[in-house]
Amino acid sequence: MARKPTKSGKIRLTEVAKLAGVSPITASRFFRNPDALSLAKRERVDSAVKELGYVPNLAARALASHRTEVIGVVIPSLTNSVFADVLRGIYDSSEQSRYSIQLTNTRYSILQEEKMLRLFRAQKPAGLIVTGINQTAESRAILETMDCPVAQIMEIGDSPVDMMIGFSHYDASFAAISHILEQGRRRIGFLGARMDPRVQRRFDGYRDAMKAASLFDPNLVVTTTVPTTVTLGGTLFADLIAKTPDIDAVFCVNDDLALGVLFECQRRQISVPGEIAIVGFNDLEFMASAVPSLTSVRTNRYEMGRHAITMVIDAIEGRRPREPVLDLGFQLMIRESSTPQTA
């Protein structure tokens, strides 16, 4: 049976130390640096913590050490499967550490991102992981004064705040369009939603690849700022084919749109890949199981999360990476939807 708490309802660290048979300093070290304790002492303190229901006061510890043991993670969406994979990598690689994860969702709002970064700065996190490289001047200034390791994820660029883990959206898109062109396609449409900075770079890759082949046509581009869905993919494709009925391929900035295009082609009895090739982006699980299977750009999302949290924790503990920018690259997963045109 667990011991009753003191009259104030708050268990003190001294009580934990007494029950574990260690000094208060040793008990405190258990939370700050458990590896500094012997296995026997760690087990005794851990047992006492669980028996008493002790919860460390992170705010008080932050005042004493000028830093919490919280790592903040700033992402733009909790519903997007892309970020779910990133978070899985973060949590899988942090669960054995002494650090806890504090997550915030900006919903693609730059003003919300600024607000959350100010809040994190006031809370003195041990480290911070933030999505993207296109912060506002205010957000950038906050990140540069965080006094803790900072990792920007999901893409790479020339001016990291501290560390950066991702890939080139421009290069990935350029490679996808080059593949479609190699299959003999010439009227390649572009479908884009949300149009955040990473999607804008995918458009830049598309545009430049088409211009290099002297095939760029603004009429082949259909975009919207609304959030992406499978249904939206079908709607955008209907708009595209109404404008340019001679298209023979579609590049979609994500897989939801690509699946919507496939469904709309099936409704219209348009052969895929016979009449129209389809290529998506991110390579979510359903792309390989669709009928026909859908070509997509595979992005190493889980690895991004895993490397980001590992690099941040290493930096916190004095083991900074030799190379602050880690390019994880991408892979073009070629499947049935972009095979050569039939005669």
Side-chain angles (χ1 to χ4, degrees):
M1 179 181 296
R3 295 188 179 188
K4 293 182 179 180
T6 58
K7 290 182 180 180
S8 67
K10 180 179 178 181
I11 301 297
R12 297 183 175 87
L13 184 61
T14 54
E15 296 175 72
V16 173
K18 183 177 179 180
L19 182 59
V22 299
S23 69
I25 293 176
T26 298
S28 176
R29 190 176 295 124
F30 171 81
F31 295 100
R32 291 184 289 106
N33 187 13
D35 292 337
L37 275 63
S38 67
L39 177 60
K41 287 183 179 179
R42 286 203 305 270
E43 290 177 345
R44 294 208 307 272
V45 176
D46 184 56
S47 178
V49 167
K50 292 176 180 176
E51 181 175 342
L52 294 172
Y54 174 76
V55 178
N57 188 331
L58 295 179
R61 291 170 62 198
L63 290 173
S65 66
H66 305 292
R67 179 176 289 177
T68 66
E69 288 181 353
V70 169
I71 296 175
V73 177
V74 183
I75 61 170
S77 174
L78 291 176
T79 58
N80 190 325
S81 297
V82 170
F83 295 105
D85 289 338
V86 174
L87 290 175
R88 187 165 54 87
I90 290 174
Y91 281 106
D92 284 354
S93 297
S94 65
E95 61 183 6
Q96 299 302 320
S97 75
R98 70 175 186 269
Y99 300 99
S100 58
I101 303 300
Q102 184 173 334
L103 182 63
T104 188
N105 174 16
T106 66
R107 299 184 180 182
Y108 291 94
S109 166
I110 58 175
L111 295 181
Q112 181 69 6
E113 182 178 58
E114 287 182 7
K115 178 181 177 181
M116 291 299 100
L117 289 177
R118 289 192 196 97
L119 178 60
F120 273 127
R121 182 171 60 183
Q123 293 176 341
K124 300 180 180 178
L128 190 65
I129 297 173
V130 61
T131 302
I133 61 176
N134 283 90
Q135 283 77 33
T136 64
E138 176 66 18
S139 291
R140 175 87 186 197
I142 294 170
L143 290 173
E144 290 176 344
T145 57
M146 284 298 289
D147 191 30
C148 70
V150 175
Q152 294 164 283
I153 62 171
M154 302 302 292
E155 53 185 324
I156 56 173
D158 297 329
S159 302
V161 170
D162 184 7
M163 298 175 288
M164 192 177 285
I165 304 97
F167 67 102
S168 169
H169 292 254
Y170 175 93
D171 289 348
S173 177
F174 196 101
I177 302 307
S178 297
H179 159 70
I180 299 172
L181 291 169
E182 288 168 0
Q183 311 313 307
R185 315 283 176 161
R186 290 296 176 265
R187 298 288 286 169
I188 305 171
F190 177 94
L191 298 186
R194 182 74 75 174
M195 301 310 293
D196 61 72
R198 288 172 294 285
V199 173
Q200 290 283 358
R201 277 184 268 281
R202 294 173 203 173
F203 171 73
D204 292 343
Y206 160 85
R207 179 200 59 212
D208 289 355
M210 292 293 283
K211 282 186 174 182
S214 300
L215 294 171
F216 180 71
D217 179 354
N219 290 322
L220 292 170
V221 178
V222 176
T223 66
T224 178
T225 57
V226 304
T228 186
T229 64
V230 173
T231 301
L232 180 64
T235 301
L236 295 180
F237 177 70
D239 292 343
L240 174 63
I241 204 166
K243 288 199 311 177
T244 54
D246 62 334
I247 62 170
D248 57 12
V250 181
F251 174 64
C252 303
V253 298
N254 61 47
D255 293 339
D256 288 346
L257 296 182
L259 188 61
V261 171
L262 176 62
F263 289 161
E264 186 64 20
C265 284
Q266 292 171 341
R267 279 191 288 271
R268 293 170 179 255
Q269 297 186 324
I270 297 173
S271 172
V272 176
E275 297 175 73
I276 290 181
I278 303 173
V279 174
F281 201 102
N282 283 316
D283 197 35
L284 299 180
E285 183 181 7
F286 60 76
M287 298 296 276
S289 57
V291 180
S293 57
L294 292 165
T295 296
S296 187
V297 177
R298 175 172 292 176
T299 55
N300 300 301
R301 302 176 300 279
Y302 178 86
E303 294 301 313
M304 271 183 245
R306 186 177 68 82
H307 281 289
I309 192 67
T310 299
M311 289 170 69
V312 166
I313 290 175
D314 283 350
I316 293 169
E317 299 181 351
R319 302 184 300 273
R320 295 194 61 83
R322 291 183 179 178
E323 298 294 334
V325 178
L326 178 59
D327 185 353
L328 294 178
F330 58 88
Q331 296 84 41
L332 185 59
M333 307 304 293
I334 300 173
R335 301 192 179 97
E336 295 169 334
S337 69
S338 65
T339 54
Q341 291 174 292
T342 56

